[in-house]
Coordinates of all heavy atoms in Angstrom, one line a residue:
T9 N -22.0 4.9 87.8 CA -23.3 4.4 88.0 C -24.3 5.6 87.9 O -24.0 6.7 88.3 CB -23.4 3.7 89.4 OG1 -24.8 3.4 89.7 CG2 -22.9 4.6 90.5
G13 N -28.2 8.2 94.7 CA -27.5 8.3 95.9 C -26.0 8.6 95.7 O -25.4 9.5 96.4
A16 N -25.6 12.2 94.5 CA -25.7 13.2 95.6 C -24.4 13.3 96.4 O -24.0 14.4 96.7 CB -26.9 12.8 96.5
A33 N -13.2 14.3 88.7 CA -13.2 13.1 87.9 C -14.4 12.2 88.3 O -15.0 11.5 87.4 CB -11.9 12.3 88.1
A34 N -14.6 12.0 89.6 CA -15.8 11.2 90.0 C -17.1 11.7 89.5 O -17.9 11.0 89.0 CB -15.8 11.2 91.6
R47 N -29.9 7.0 77.8 CA -29.9 6.6 76.4 C -30.3 5.2 76.2 O -31.1 4.8 75.3 CB -28.5 6.9 75.8 CG -28.5 6.5 74.3 CD -27.0 6.4 73.9 NE -26.9 6.1 72.5 CZ -27.0 4.9 71.9 NH1 -27.3 3.8 72.7 NH2 -26.9 4.7 70.6
S49 N -28.7 1.0 75.8 CA -27.5 0.5 75.1 C -27.8 0.1 73.6 O -27.0 -0.6 73.0 CB -27.0 -0.8 75.8 OG -28.0 -1.7 76.0
G50 N -29.0 0.4 73.2 CA -29.4 0.0 71.8 C -28.7 0.8 70.7 O -28.0 1.8 71.0
A76 N -10.9 18.6 82.8 CA -10.4 19.4 83.9 C -9.6 18.5 84.9 O -8.5 19.0 85.4 CB -11.6 20.0 84.7
I78 N -7.9 15.8 84.1 CA -6.7 15.4 83.4 C -5.7 16.6 83.5 O -4.4 16.4 83.7 CB -6.9 15.0 82.0 CG1 -7.6 13.6 82.0 CG2 -5.7 15.0 81.1 CD1 -8.1 13.2 80.6
L95 N -15.5 9.7 73.8 CA -15.1 10.3 72.5 C -15.0 9.2 71.4 O -14.6 9.5 70.3 CB -13.7 10.9 72.6 CG -13.6 12.1 73.5 CD1 -12.1 12.6 73.6 CD2 -14.5 13.3 73.0
A101 N -10.9 11.9 69.5 CA -10.4 10.8 70.2 C -8.9 10.6 70.1 O -8.1 10.4 71.1 CB -11.1 9.5 69.8
K110 N 1.4 10.4 75.9 CA 2.5 11.3 76.2 C 2.8 11.3 77.7 O 3.9 11.3 78.1 CB 2.2 12.7 75.7 CG 3.4 13.7 76.0 CD 3.1 15.1 75.4 CE 4.2 16.1 75.6 NZ 3.9 17.4 75.1
A121 N -9.7 1.7 75.2 CA -10.9 2.6 75.0 C -10.8 3.2 73.5 O -11.8 3.2 72.8 CB -10.9 3.7 76.0
E143 N 0.3 -0.7 65.3 CA 1.0 0.5 65.7 C 1.4 0.5 67.1 O 2.5 0.9 67.5 CB 0.1 1.7 65.4 CG 0.6 3.1 65.9 CD -0.4 4.2 65.9 OE1 -1.3 4.1 65.1 OE2 -0.3 5.0 66.8
A146 N 4.3 -1.9 67.9 CA 5.6 -1.4 67.4 C 6.1 -0.2 68.2 O 7.3 0.1 68.1 CB 5.4 -1.0 65.9
H162 N -13.1 -9.9 70.0 CA -14.0 -9.5 71.0 C -15.1 -8.6 70.4 O -16.3 -8.8 70.8 CB -13.3 -8.8 72.2 CG -14.1 -8.4 73.3 ND1 -14.7 -9.4 74.2 CD2 -14.4 -7.2 73.9 CE1 -15.4 -8.7 75.1 NE2 -15.2 -7.4 75.0
L185 N -9.4 -14.9 73.6 CA -8.6 -15.4 74.8 C -7.3 -16.1 74.3 O -6.4 -16.2 75.2 CB -9.4 -16.4 75.6 CG -10.5 -15.7 76.5 CD1 -11.6 -16.6 76.9 CD2 -9.8 -15.1 77.7
L194 N -13.1 -13.0 79.3 CA -13.7 -14.1 80.2 C -15.1 -13.8 80.6 O -15.9 -14.8 80.6 CB -12.8 -14.2 81.4 CG -11.4 -14.8 81.2 CD1 -10.4 -14.4 82.4 CD2 -11.4 -16.3 81.0
L195 N -15.4 -12.6 80.9 CA -16.8 -12.3 81.3 C -17.7 -12.5 80.1 O -18.8 -13.1 80.3 CB -16.9 -10.8 81.8 CG -18.3 -10.3 82.0 CD1 -19.0 -11.1 83.1 CD2 -18.2 -8.8 82.4
Q223 N -12.1 -6.2 92.3 CA -12.9 -5.2 92.9 C -14.1 -4.9 92.1 O -14.9 -4.0 92.4 CB -12.1 -3.9 93.0 CG -10.8 -4.0 93.8 CD -11.1 -4.5 95.2 OE1 -12.0 -4.1 95.9 NE2 -10.2 -5.4 95.7

Side-chain angles (χ1 to χ4, degrees):
T9 171
R47 180 196 183 280
S49 58
I78 287 171
L95 295 176
K110 183 177 181 180
E143 173 193 330
H162 183 64
L185 282 159
L194 290 162
L195 173 59
Q223 303 302 319

